[in-house]
């Protein structure tokens, strides 16, 4: 039940579930300071407290989230709440825009700027945000090795990498005496492709932890949206006809009821945890953080897993085409 995961090449252990902080400080997709007037520093602080108190101590951010605002907010939380800060593991990301040709220097500069915003001397995990650099995997592995050697990152990972790209960068890191710790991909009941397409198996073989982003289909699997109440903002992940998603949510409700009143979000997250993957759902407030933490501490049975495997939607094979639509 709810196994923790060690990040390869380090002594860092992360819990079975983390928290994604893209929404913290982001205006255009998540509406802070815009369509969502309830997403405030106070609501974020409550989400932070509730998560850590429930054992969700792993936080994912990126230099591009809110143009650094997500990291700045985490920096404030870390500084103002020293007791909880001591329990926290932070992952951030380098966006390898193709114009960052001198990737070694660019990656180190980005990480130093992230650390500045976070008010930390190092992060536990530093990830390459996507396979979009014009530079070789060797050059990017070299850049990652440099920040580990400099003590700025305890472990390194990637995001949005296919199985073959994961193998390539893992081999390049290995040549430099490093391990690839993680690959962060879109994985949910609205995109089961990483499971059926073999990416999870490849990562398991390589000892790479898979982090599941948009695990709630950007809110679509929570049960609060439906065909006549679509999610606001430009949420590009987990997109399917809402009528199709409504049926899946009904199944989640049915299974949740069987397990003593678990809600659709909790069942959707538990399905991911049961696959040995670490979901990193976003939470904007205490209620969402508490609910999501309720995915921990219980199990789905074999029948539930079979039903959910059958009901899960394949989703896109690759997200390359829409990579530029988000941070
Ligand atoms: N590496 C990448 O390329 C990449 C891409 C995307 C995301 N990510 C990471 O993954 C994290 C999570 O993904 P995501 O934020 O896109 O999607 P998500 O976790 O599937 O959905 C998060 C949103 O769902 C709603 N929500 C969450 N919990 C809820 C609950 N219990 N009840 C009702 N509504 C709830 C909230 O929005 P509303 O209240 O507004 O509905 C929340 O912002 C991000 O924060 C980021 O760290 C990485």
């Amino acid at each position: 039940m709810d196994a923790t995961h060690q990040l390869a090449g380090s002594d860092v252990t992360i819990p079975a579930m983390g928290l994604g902080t893209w929404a913290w400080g982001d205006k255009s997709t998540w509406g802070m300071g815009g369509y969502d007037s309830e997403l405030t520093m106070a609501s974020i602080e409550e989400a932070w407290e509730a998560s850590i108190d429930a054992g969700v101590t792993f936080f994912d951010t990126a230099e591009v989230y809110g143009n650094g605002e997500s990291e700045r907010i985490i920096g404030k939380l870390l500084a103002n709440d020293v007791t909880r800060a001591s329990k926290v593991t932070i992952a951030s990301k380098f966006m390898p825009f193709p114009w960052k040709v001198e990737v070694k220097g660019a990656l180190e500069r980005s990480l130093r700027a992230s650390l500045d915003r976070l008010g930390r001397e190092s992060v536990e995990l530093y990830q390459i945000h996507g396979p979009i650099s014009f530079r070789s995997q060797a050059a990017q592995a070299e850049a990652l090795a440099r920040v580990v050697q400099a003590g700025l990152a305890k472990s390194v990972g990637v995001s949005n990498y296919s199985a073959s790209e994961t193998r390539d960068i893992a081999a390049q890191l290995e040549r430099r005496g490093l391990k690839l710790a993680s690959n962060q991909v879109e994985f949910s009941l609205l995109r089961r492709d990483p499971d059926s397409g073999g990416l999870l198996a490849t990562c398991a073989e390589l000892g790479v932890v898979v982090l599941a982003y948009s695990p709630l289909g950007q809110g679509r699997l929570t049960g609060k949206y439906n065909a006549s109440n679509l999610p606001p903002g430009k949420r590009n992940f987990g997109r399917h006809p809402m009528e199709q998603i409504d049926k899946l949510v009904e199944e989640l409700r049915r299974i949740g009821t069987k397990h003593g009143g678990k809600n659709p979000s909790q069942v959707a997250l538990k399905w991911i945890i049961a696959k040995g993957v670490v979901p990193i759902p976003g939470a904007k407030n205490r209620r969402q953080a508490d609910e999501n933490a309720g995915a921990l501490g219980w199990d789905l049975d074999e029948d539930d897993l079979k039903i959910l495997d059958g009901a899960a939607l394949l989703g896109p094979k690759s997200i390359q085409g829409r990579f530029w639509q988000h941070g």
Side-chain angles (χ1 to χ4, degrees), residues 20-23 30 35-36 60 65 93 129 159-160 184 213-219 222 224-225 235 237 265 280-284 287-288 291-292 323 326:
T21 65
W22 177 12
W30 296 106
Y35 73 82
D36 190 347
D60 178 72
Y65 294 167
K93 309 185 198 80
H129 210 136
S159 178
N160 297 303
Q184 182 178 140
Y213 75 70
S214 305
L216 296 171
Q218 301 204 307
T222 64
K224 76 174 168 191
Y225 300 116
R235 307 185 186 197
F237 300 104
S265 310
I280 49 166
K284 290 175 156 182
R287 194 188 52 74
Q288 293 183 355
E291 267 186 31
N292 297 346
F323 192 76
H326 74 96

Side-chain angles (χ1 to χ4, degrees), residues 23 29-30 35-36 38-39 190 216-233 235 242 245-250 252-253 263-266 268 281-289 291-292:
T29 303
W30 296 106
Y35 73 82
D36 190 347
E38 289 176 9
L39 175 57
L190 301 182
L216 296 171
Q218 301 204 307
R220 292 173 179 84
L221 289 169
T222 64
K224 76 174 168 191
Y225 300 116
N226 54 49
S228 46
N229 176 30
L230 298 174
R235 307 185 186 197
M242 207 60 203
I245 297 177
D246 288 350
K247 283 194 199 130
L248 185 46
V249 169
E250 267 323 296
L252 294 175
R253 271 192 219 290
N263 67 24
S265 310
Q266 292 163 342
K284 290 175 156 182
N285 52 48
R286 181 181 298 279
R287 194 188 52 74
Q288 293 183 355
E291 267 186 31
N292 297 346

